[in-house]
Amino acid sequence: MFLQELTWQQFSNLSHIKKMPLNEQERQFRIYLYEVNMDRIAYVQSQAAAAAAAAGGGGTQTQVDEFPGGGSGALTFNGTNQYFTALNSDVVNWLPGTGNFTIEFFVKNGTQSVGAPRIFSLGFDTGATIGISQEGGGFYVWPYGASLFGTTPAKYNNGSSWIHVAICRSGTTTKLFIDGTLKATATGDSRNINDSINPGFDLNVGVDNPTAFAPNWWAGKLTNFRWDNSAIYTGSSLTVPTAPLTKTATTKLLMLGGGITNPVYDATKTNNLVNHNAGWTAETPF
């Protein structure tokens, strides 16, 4: 029997939880999500062991990457109060410094309510450690600004189709790809991406800083958000993935849609993701 799954909103409204300070509520929620995932993993492993025993062989027990029903679909953001967070306490352990990295994801545009919505951001507005804004008919990578800007295709602008977005640094060259096309290249990039730029900031997806006077909320659908500390795309173009992304030895975060009752899931199982009311859809770009 699985532990009951609750959303952050449901969990934080439990009578004994709502009496706690917010930081303690979030800590307890992370513990709860860990227990839920471990419960599901144990179930899958027990089922696999039972099947192997029934087949007459012991088999090798392997670590599962996804719980039953998880790792599919996408998150939905309404552009006013929905986002999810990878907590600073986890993120600070894997920021790449001056090294290589690739950040990629699939998105489908929604109806925006602000002028420069942030699809994701580590830090606030144009002073972010790194992030992407949607404005001026395209995407800006911050804090690079105009040196890493790319226009978005009509199928994204009108909200009819998914597109793939990737930022990749190899050595001191950083590239922005939109739906397979190289849109911009920044050379001489030796920025040290670490926690000292925006100390204590979480990595937010769907907004930059939700507690700011005027947060830059983003509306749309997003899935397969992968942060990998290697240079995956270094050519003059890339082939857009046609299947869900997978983790490698250097993958630090791989956000997949989890399911209707637990919309967000980290396939690396190394980060505590906190969902702040983001929804879930079975729709994917694949």
Side-chain angles (χ1 to χ4, degrees):
M1 182 76 179
F2 292 153
L3 291 173
Q4 182 184 5
E5 292 183 34
L6 299 175
T7 65
W8 163 251
Q9 186 175 27
Q10 291 169 329
F11 183 86
S12 60
N13 281 329
L14 294 174
S15 58
H16 66 292
I17 296 294
K18 61 172 43 173
K19 298 175 183 178
M20 301 176 182
L22 179 59
N23 61 343
E24 180 60 18
Q25 290 182 30
E26 292 182 339
R27 190 182 76 85
Q28 292 295 328
F29 187 61
R30 295 196 300 272
I31 294 172
Y32 159 75
L33 289 180
Y34 175 82
E35 291 175 345
V36 169
N37 286 346
M38 291 302 101
D39 183 55
R40 290 182 177 277
I41 288 168
Y43 172 80
V44 172
Q45 292 176 336
S46 67
Q47 293 296 101
T60 301
Q61 192 174 38
T62 58
Q63 186 73 24
V64 297
D65 293 337
E66 300 168 6
F67 50 77
S72 63
L75 274 81
T76 62
F77 303 86
N78 62 8
T80 56
N81 63 0
Q82 295 179 334
Y83 67 107
F84 82 84
T85 294
L87 297 177
N88 176 270
S89 56
D90 293 320
V91 173
V92 69
N93 295 317
W94 46 257
L95 292 177
T98 58
N100 296 341
F101 69 87
T102 302
I103 303 171
E104 63 181 313
F105 49 86
F106 287 86
V107 280
K108 189 174 184 180
N109 197 18
T111 302
Q112 308 303 329
S113 59
V114 299
R118 259 55 177 184
I119 296 177
F120 82 92
S121 190
L122 179 60
F124 181 58
D125 204 67
T126 59
T129 305
I130 192 162
I132 283 187
S133 70
Q134 178 176 318
E135 53 186 307
F139 294 149
Y140 284 91
V141 180
W142 296 103
Y144 300 90
S147 63
L148 274 184
F149 169 80
T151 56
T152 46
K155 67 179 183 179
Y156 177 80
N157 298 336
N158 63 26
S160 64
S161 296
W162 290 86
I163 62 170
H164 176 258
V165 181
I167 312 163
C168 180
R169 179 165 73 181
S170 176
T172 59
T173 299
T174 304
K175 297 180 177 183
L176 169 64
F177 299 87
I178 297 179
D179 223 28
T181 300
L182 176 60
K183 291 289 188 174
T185 301
T187 58
D189 178 17
S190 57
R191 292 184 63 250
N192 191 333
I193 300 177
N194 60 56
D195 192 55
S196 66
I197 302 173
N198 286 281
F201 261 82
D202 298 326
L203 173 63
N204 292 316
V205 177
V207 70
D208 48 3
N209 182 1
T211 63
F213 176 73
N216 293 299
W217 299 102
W218 178 78
K221 300 173 183 176
L222 178 145
T223 192
N224 285 247
F225 183 103
R226 180 168 68 177
W227 184 313
D228 195 290
N229 281 351
S230 67
I232 299 175
Y233 307 113
T234 59
S236 57
S237 65
L238 65 84
T239 300
V240 174
T242 57
L245 302 178
T246 57
K247 66 179 181 180
T248 71
T250 51
T251 301
K252 302 305 178 182
L253 171 64
L254 176 52
M255 186 288 296
L256 303 172
I260 193 166
T261 59
N262 188 19
V264 62
Y265 172 66
D266 175 27
T268 70
K269 294 183 294 183
T270 57
N271 301 284
N272 294 295
L273 304 184
V274 180
N275 181 30
H276 299 270
N277 303 315
W280 180 84
T281 176
E283 180 183 348
T284 74
F286 310 114

